[in-house]
Amino acid sequence: MNRQLLDPFEPEYPEAIEACLDDEYAVKCAFSHNGSLLATARSDGQCFIWDMDTLNVMRRLQHGEAALTGLGWSRSGRYVLTYDGVGVCILWDLEDCSVRARVAFESAILCARVHPRNSKQFIVCPSREAPCLVTASANADEPPSVSPICISAEGIDQKTKAAASTCCCFAKKGIYVFFGTSKGQVHAVHVSTQKVVCSVKLSSSAVNTISRNPRGTDIVTNSSDRILRVCQVVLPAEEGGSDVRKGPMPAKLEPSMSVTTKIQDIVNRVHWIQAVFSSSGDYIVSGIEHKAEHNIYIWDKFGGSLVKMLTGPNELLEDFAVHPLRPIYASISTFGIIYLWTRVPQQNWNAFAPGFRELEENIDFVEPED
């Protein structure tokens, strides 16, 4: 893909479905950092790596017998992280399809993310344990090191035995990691010191998903109260005292997170599967959880107004992913079909010589006699 040939004024969201990939067991999907590869987690315990240029499967990874519940990419695109519902998390090396690190927990894994700058380090959030920072060893045969992170004094509910952290997301440089809890809070934790830098109380409902924008200045959360919240993040860097937004941080400015926009469907009151940012971070992309609708909503980050709704077939929307560079979305239906949404470029043929006529369909041309 030559980015210099792309239209700089092209909108950031697609219009219609351009292609379909048949994968009857796919339940989750994620684009690589440059968007050239698409990984799909399957219910039969396998992970497929699709090439976005040829739309063919280039790698097949056998995680296990249990159904996969999610996956993640490293920044380089060489490593893929897969995890299932029985507590097994594997870091794969796509160069030779080998297992780089494998760690097992006693409960199902809710979320796991790879460090954006260190491909051999990742965060895991089990459902009945404290979140852990896993670091792969230099030798692939040696077990990785697992370091639990205590984000609060009430890390595990003594009645339900459920962990407080339900989702996680790294900051742009990986210095901090954001944790969403079942109490409706979001904590920013320093990775090295494992101390909570700042927190914000969103609601009393659990935070289901959390994601950050490409610039690292905002995060968006999806809570059980059916409200999407955009939070502005101000965090000091580990060195130099600079802000995440690439500027010097005043001495009196402290780390903080504040809610700037709330988004919800007041009429239908639908449940959201997840919410992520667009490639530029100016839009919020969300999908609804409905048994007979395959709709993707695109919202304005600043005003919270609905910009566009992509309507697909009458199938349940399982998961979707946003291309990091281009207006391309990938969505998975309940039948395992992967739909690729994109924008069809409009070609202006009227810019040719005078008298040129554009044809909508082929016609038989009869050459006149001289």
Side-chain angles (χ1 to χ4, degrees):
M1 181 184 65
N2 192 347
R3 299 186 62 183
Q4 296 180 354
L5 300 179
L6 299 178
D7 186 7
F9 302 102
E10 184 180 24
E12 300 180 23
Y13 46 84
E15 290 182 343
I17 298 175
E18 182 188 22
C20 299
L21 305 178
D22 190 5
D23 188 357
E24 58 179 336
Y25 296 105
V27 292
K28 297 291 182 179
C29 62
F31 281 102
S32 60
H33 184 72
N34 57 3
S36 61
L37 301 176
L38 176 68
T40 58
R42 294 159 54 95
S43 59
D44 60 351
Q46 292 185 351
C47 177
F48 283 5
I49 308 297
W50 297 80
D51 188 358
M52 292 303 298
D53 294 331
T54 61
L55 300 182
N56 293 325
V57 179
M58 59 175 296
R59 292 288 189 274
R60 289 180 172 88
L61 308 176
Q62 182 62 47
H63 178 93
E65 299 297 333
L68 297 181
T69 57
L71 49 83
W73 283 93
S74 65
R75 181 181 177 89
S76 61
R78 176 178 175 178
Y79 299 96
V80 173
L81 182 68
T82 58
Y83 52 94
D84 55 22
V86 298
V88 179
C89 188
I90 299 178
L91 182 65
W92 299 87
D93 188 354
L94 295 183
E95 185 176 0
D96 52 0
C97 296
S98 61
V99 177
R100 189 63 186 82
R102 185 182 188 275
V103 60
F105 296 90
E106 297 181 356
S107 58
I109 299 176
L110 301 177
C111 183
R113 293 292 182 267
V114 183
H115 196 282
R117 300 301 171 93
N118 187 1
S119 301
K120 299 178 182 179
Q121 198 173 57
F122 53 92
I123 290 285
V124 182
C125 293
S127 59
R128 299 185 181 274
E129 301 176 45
C132 299
L133 176 65
V134 183
T135 304
S137 58
N139 188 2
D141 297 332
E142 298 179 0
S145 62
V146 181
S147 176
I149 300 176
C150 183
I151 59 177
S152 62
E154 300 176 354
I156 299 178
D157 192 345
Q158 299 300 328
K159 295 182 179 179
T160 62
K161 300 298 180 182
S165 60
T166 56
C167 55
C168 61
C169 175
F170 275 101
K172 181 179 180 180
K173 296 182 179 180
I175 302 176
Y176 303 92
V177 59
F178 303 102
F179 288 101
T181 66
S182 58
K183 303 297 183 180
Q185 295 178 335
V186 176
H187 303 283
V189 180
H190 198 284
V191 176
S192 300
T193 61
Q194 297 186 4
K195 294 183 179 180
V196 178
V197 178
C198 60
S199 303
V200 60
K201 178 70 173 180
L202 301 180
S203 65
S204 59
S205 302
V207 180
N208 298 327
T209 62
I210 185 171
S211 177
R212 65 166 176 85
N213 64 343
R215 291 188 292 268
T217 57
D218 300 287
I219 59 174
V220 59
T221 61
N222 172 28
S223 303
S224 299
D225 58 358
R226 310 177 188 183
I227 299 178
L228 306 179
R229 294 175 176 86
V230 180
C231 300
Q232 185 181 9
V233 178
V234 178
L235 293 175
E238 184 177 4
E239 297 178 357
S242 61
D243 185 44
V244 176
R245 289 171 288 182
K246 300 180 180 180
M249 193 173 183
K252 62 179 181 180
L253 188 61
E254 297 181 354
S256 63
M257 290 185 293
S258 60
V259 179
T260 58
T261 309
K262 292 184 180 181
I263 301 173
Q264 62 178 329
D265 191 345
I266 303 178
V267 178
N268 299 323
R269 297 287 297 175
V270 295
H271 287 277
W272 306 105
I273 297 177
Q274 66 169 334
V276 296
F277 284 94
S278 61
S279 57
S280 66
D282 295 335
Y283 299 96
I284 304 296
V285 185
S286 60
I288 65 172
E289 184 179 353
H290 194 277
K291 61 181 179 180
E293 292 184 2
H294 194 94
N295 299 338
I296 298 177
Y297 292 76
I298 303 173
W299 309 84
D300 184 13
K301 184 191 73 171
F302 303 99
S305 59
L306 181 63
V307 178
K308 189 176 182 59
M309 183 180 68
L310 304 178
T311 304
N314 296 329
E315 302 172 1
L316 175 65
L317 177 64
E318 292 283 352
D319 191 28
F320 70 93
V322 177
H323 195 281
L325 302 176
R326 300 190 59 192
I328 299 176
Y329 297 169
S331 61
I332 300 179
S333 69
T334 186
F335 300 107
I337 302 177
I338 305 172
Y339 296 101
L340 298 180
W341 304 74
T342 184
R343 176 175 290 273
V344 180
Q346 300 294 333
Q347 299 178 355
N348 186 12
W349 296 102
N350 296 326
F352 283 83
F356 181 84
R357 184 164 59 97
E358 182 180 358
L359 300 178
E360 296 182 358
E361 59 182 7
N362 296 331
I363 60 174
D364 296 332
F365 176 72
V366 179
E367 184 178 2
E369 297 182 358
D370 294 339

